[in-house]
Amino acid sequence: MASLPVLVLNSGSSSIKFAVYEASGEERRKLFEGAVDGIGTDLGQFHIKDAVGNTLVDQTPAVPTRAAAFALVAGALNSGEFPRPVAIGHRMVSGGPTIQDNQRITPELIDEMERYTAFAPLHTPIAVYIMREALRLFPGVPNFVCLDTYFHRTMPEVVTHMPIPEEYSAMGVRRYGAHGISYESIVYQLQPHVPGKLIVAHLGNGASISAIRNGACLDTSMGLTPTGGLISGTRTGDIDPGVLLFILRKIAETAESASEAADKLETVASKKAGLLGVSGLSNDMRDLREAIATGNARARLAVDKFTWTIARWIGSFVAELGGLDMLVFTGGIGENDIDSRAEICAGLDALGIVLDAQRNNVRGAAVISAEHSPVTVRVIPPAEDLMIVNHVVRLMAQ
Ligand code: AMP
């Protein structure tokens, strides 16, 4: 069986992360991974490490633009020092209403996905830019898009449809969900014993939660954009639309145009709200926990709002699933913040969720529920890159 080096690209607003896996039949082996951080600054960071963490490249170049950042990645991978990829998989948060399936990337497909930038405004511009650059700098290498919305395609219409006039629904405004590649990877890791009634909480800087029945998504907290659903690092999550109108009218008093007012509202709702907005301190859970330890009441309120919201969603998902077999925590907070897990589960014993304090007192993968807990509670790190490789290999074979 031929062995294929597959490059996985996962870009954020100020960084490009990448990894190369060797895919041979059913086997997957990470060869190396790297990142360019600090895009837009004179002091960027570019590193590549092998699968066991040995540093292969460690540089601090100026990275004024995305172009400069991706040129570093393409330069290294085309240099002959590393195996050249035979296929490239791109993570994409949302492809809009017309692009629902993971598939081979063409220039036309990129244009179509770009039309729906408003559905993931923080993520789409950099992702489509990198796709165009990858087609240009790796000529002849097939590129594939892997959508975070793909896992959520099984949600029924009653879940996805928004209570708005039909003219906006016809424009593709509906619930799509996000973090789908992470959810898929949790289901994948639970195979062959995927519980029938499963809730997965992906709690990172962006946070969401999904109800999964027999391995297929039934409901998820994020909506049209990743700003909906749970309160997260800098995002409001679901909020009374009247609040957004109130803020918009305030902004409009001094804005010079409607689009400036809309941009400012977007910044408030997705970059200045959430844990950062409530605490006035930080979007980072580690900072908030430190502040709580010194008696900071706003940090306490921010974290309480976070854990309270998640507990409410768990309650509604248990009702929707008609019970619960397993709850999984994942993402930076889900994997590492012992207190958040304890606080979320504290009032949920009526739902059969009983943590074991000792078992919960660990970082990383583990069963953390009590022996007698009707619901098993687990911590499982996501394996998003691996899922993207799996999709690429499947699509290459078609
Ligand atoms: P992610 O977006 O999945 O990388 O997760 C980022 C979030 O995870 C941030 O809020 C971090 O504060 C949080 N996080 C990472 N490590 C820890 C830790 N050791 N303890 C508490 N929170 C952590």
Side-chain angles (χ1 to χ4, degrees):
M1 179 83 52
S3 136
L4 309 173
V6 176
L7 168 63
V8 175
L9 288 168
N10 188 346
S11 318
S13 52
S14 64
S15 70
I16 298 174
K17 291 195 183 116
F18 62 97
V20 174
Y21 282 73
E22 186 179 59
S24 175
E26 293 300 308
E27 284 190 26
R28 310 282 176 258
R29 190 165 70 91
K30 191 194 287 179
L31 298 179
F32 53 90
E33 65 183 354
V36 185
D37 288 303
I39 297 176
T41 70
D42 284 343
L43 196 62
Q45 273 196 326
F46 175 39
H47 76 259
I48 302 182
K49 291 184 173 164
D50 69 15
V52 289
N54 297 316
T55 299
L56 305 177
V57 173
D58 187 10
Q59 299 171 3
T60 50
V63 196
T65 58
R66 290 170 193 162
F70 194 65
L72 288 168
V73 178
L77 297 181
N78 280 323
S79 68
E81 279 178 55
F82 299 98
R84 195 164 183 271
V86 299
I88 303 177
H90 297 253
R91 178 183 172 211
M92 180 77 176
V93 171
S94 173
T98 47
I99 311 298
Q100 301 283 322
D101 284 327
N102 300 336
Q103 58 192 280
R104 184 152 179 187
I105 295 172
T106 61
E108 296 73 30
L109 187 89
I110 300 174
D111 293 345
E112 177 65 10
M113 293 190 294
E114 195 176 28
R115 287 179 55 209
Y116 294 97
T117 297
F119 291 12
L122 303 184
H123 302 86
T124 296
I126 177 111
V128 297
Y129 177 83
I130 300 286
M131 286 178 205
R132 291 197 176 104
E133 283 295 277
L135 290 183
R136 189 172 73 81
L137 295 172
F138 293 92
V141 176
N143 283 252
F144 299 90
V145 64
C146 292
L147 296 154
D148 266 314
T149 51
Y150 179 75
F151 179 70
H152 302 299
R153 71 196 183 289
T154 50
M155 295 192 297
E157 193 179 5
V158 68
V159 171
T160 60
H161 195 86
M162 295 275 192
I164 52 174
E166 177 52 30
E167 62 183 297
Y168 300 106
S169 301
M171 293 174 194
V173 177
R174 64 174 181 80
R175 185 186 291 280
Y176 290 88
H179 289 144
I181 302 172
S182 166
Y183 291 122
E184 236 185 309
S185 82
I186 300 298
V187 172
Y188 177 79
Q189 292 178 74
L190 287 170
Q191 282 172 356
H193 303 294
V194 183
K197 296 170 183 174
L198 170 68
I199 294 177
V200 181
H202 178 113
L203 310 179
N205 196 32
S208 70
I209 187 163
S210 288
I212 299 166
R213 182 180 283 153
N214 300 326
C217 185
L218 178 66
D219 196 353
T220 194
S221 58
M222 279 179 175
L224 174 72
T225 71
T227 310
L230 306 180
I231 153 175
S232 61
T234 58
R235 303 174 192 152
T236 56
D238 286 357
I239 194 160
D240 171 1
V243 174
L244 296 181
L245 288 171
F246 177 88
I247 297 172
L248 181 62
R249 290 199 174 102
K250 280 281 154 212
I251 291 171
E253 286 171 9
T254 53
E256 294 195 343
S257 67
S259 82
E260 184 194 320
D263 286 348
K264 284 191 167 161
L265 178 63
E266 185 168 77
T267 301
V268 170
S270 54
K271 293 190 179 160
K272 292 188 171 177
L275 293 173
L276 173 65
V278 179
S279 69
L281 182 71
S282 173
N283 60 320
D284 191 308
M285 185 57 81
R286 285 165 291 202
D287 298 339
L288 297 177
R289 289 290 175 197
E290 266 181 50
I292 289 170
T294 64
N296 185 313
R298 287 185 67 184
R300 181 72 266 173
L301 179 62
V303 173
D304 283 350
K305 277 207 76 70
F306 179 72
T307 53
W308 166 80
T309 312
I310 296 162
R312 288 175 83 201
W313 275 90
I314 290 172
S316 65
F317 280 170
V318 171
E320 204 170 345
L321 285 163
L324 185 63
D325 300 318
M326 186 184 286
L327 170 65
V328 174
F329 287 102
T330 191
I333 298 172
E335 287 162 55
N336 296 300
D337 197 44
I338 292 160
D339 290 338
S340 283
R341 298 194 302 248
E343 289 161 17
I344 291 165
C345 295
L348 299 181
D349 46 341
L351 302 181
I353 296 170
V354 186
L355 285 199
D356 178 301
Q358 206 110 40
R359 288 179 174 179
N360 185 41
N361 202 18
V362 293
R363 300 216 167 97
V367 172
I368 58 170
S369 43
E371 206 62 50
H372 64 276
S373 176
V375 173
T376 305
V377 185
R378 292 186 59 165
V379 177
I380 304 178
E384 290 162 304
D385 286 355
L386 184 66
M387 285 322 297
I388 293 175
V389 173
N390 285 347
H391 281 296
V392 166
V393 170
R394 175 178 62 80
L395 290 164
M396 294 263 291
Q398 280 176 6

